[in-house]
């Protein structure tokens, strides 16, 4: 797993709440093999990004030139609710998104993000709304997420603190998933 320390990336204002994992990646695409060459990125938000003929919906935020390569999403409340679909995290990662900032997350989706090297950042609704407003006003602008300092720096240079469990923070900083944690103990295990 790739370590997460500091991320400065284009951030997309994803002004929707209650986005369940089936909207992040529809279940019909989970039967497709995910590999290093063929990831889940074509299926991210598929039914919102494309019409029934497979054409891009120009109004969808990630189809717009300024946000097409976003590395951060700033979403509404309850992001990743619904089923425990780990493929939703794979689709986000395969599309280059390393962090989602939202007022709240579905519990299992939050844990799946952490387990796979993403950083879910929980900030108050009014801060998230302000971030989305800034990003709408400056399409293509970047945010900086500093995990060691536990801050999100907005387009105006203001830093917003966030909380994270110290165990998950350390795992992300070191790039350790469950297998990595076990491998750290390999000498003792042997």
């Amino acid at each position: 797993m790739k370590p997460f320390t500091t991320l400065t990336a284009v951030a997309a204002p994803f002004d929707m709440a209650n986005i369940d994992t089936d909207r992040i990646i529809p279940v019909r695409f989970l039967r497709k093999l995910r590999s290093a060459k063929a990831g889940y990125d074509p299926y991210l938000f598929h039914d919102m990004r494309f019409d029934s003929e497979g054409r891009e919906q120009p109004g969808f935020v990630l189809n717009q030139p300024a946000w097409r390569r976003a590395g951060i999403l700033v979403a509404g409340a309850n992001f990743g609710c619904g089923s425990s679909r780990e493929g939703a995290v794979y689709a986000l990662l395969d599309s280059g998104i390393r962090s989602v900032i939202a007022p709240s997350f579905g519990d299992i989706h939050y844990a799946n993000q952490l387990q796979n090297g993403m950083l879910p950042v929980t900030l108050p609704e009014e801060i998230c709304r302000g971030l989305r407003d800034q990003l709408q006003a400056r399409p293509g602008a970047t945010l900086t997420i500093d995990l060691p300092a536990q801050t999100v720096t907005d387009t105006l240079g203001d830093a917003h603190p966030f909380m994270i469990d110290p165990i998950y923070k350390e795992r992300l900083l070191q790039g350790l998933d469950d297998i990595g944690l076990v491998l750290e103990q390999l000498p003792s295990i042997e």
Side-chain angles (χ1 to χ4, degrees):
M1 181 168 88
K2 182 179 175 185
F4 191 113
T5 53
T6 302
L7 172 66
T8 298
V10 170
F14 196 78
D15 201 9
M16 301 175 97
N18 301 312
I19 295 296
D20 66 38
T21 55
D22 193 50
R23 293 191 79 187
I24 298 171
I25 184 169
V27 70
R28 68 186 181 276
F29 296 119
L30 293 177
R31 292 178 288 232
K32 307 217 182 263
L33 293 178
R34 177 180 183 255
S35 68
K37 293 180 183 176
Y40 281 161
D41 50 312
Y43 314 118
L44 179 68
F45 300 117
H46 187 275
D47 294 347
M48 294 187 286
R49 284 178 49 209
F50 303 102
D51 66 17
S52 61
E53 302 295 319
R55 294 179 299 248
E56 283 190 355
Q57 298 280 12
F60 185 72
V61 65
L62 296 178
N63 289 341
Q64 297 175 24
W67 297 301
R68 190 173 288 276
R69 303 276 182 245
I72 301 169
L73 285 184
V74 182
N78 204 22
F79 187 86
C81 58
S83 70
S84 61
R85 192 166 299 150
E86 199 165 19
V89 173
Y90 299 156
L92 290 162
L93 279 170
D94 290 349
S95 296
I97 296 168
R98 283 294 309 273
S99 182
V100 177
I101 302 169
S104 59
F105 292 85
D107 291 340
I108 296 172
H109 183 74
Y110 182 90
N112 283 342
Q113 281 195 37
L114 290 167
Q115 178 61 29
N116 286 283
M118 287 187 69
L119 176 58
V121 174
T122 304
L123 289 175
E125 174 63 47
E126 61 273 9
I127 300 294
C128 290
R129 188 177 316 109
L131 292 173
R132 289 191 304 268
D133 290 346
Q134 287 178 21
L135 297 169
Q136 285 285 357
R138 294 185 55 209
T142 62
L143 298 179
T144 297
I145 302 172
D146 185 330
L147 180 56
Q150 293 180 213
T151 59
V152 174
T153 303
D154 65 22
T155 66
L156 305 175
D158 296 326
H160 307 280
F162 64 89
M163 301 299 296
I164 183 169
D165 182 297
I167 293 171
Y168 286 116
K169 178 180 179 178
E170 192 59 31
R171 286 178 66 173
L172 284 169
L173 288 170
Q174 293 185 35
L176 293 173
D177 58 11
D178 288 342
I179 294 170
L181 286 171
V182 170
L183 291 175
E184 277 196 326
Q185 304 303 317
L186 190 58
S188 298
I189 294 168
E190 289 176 335

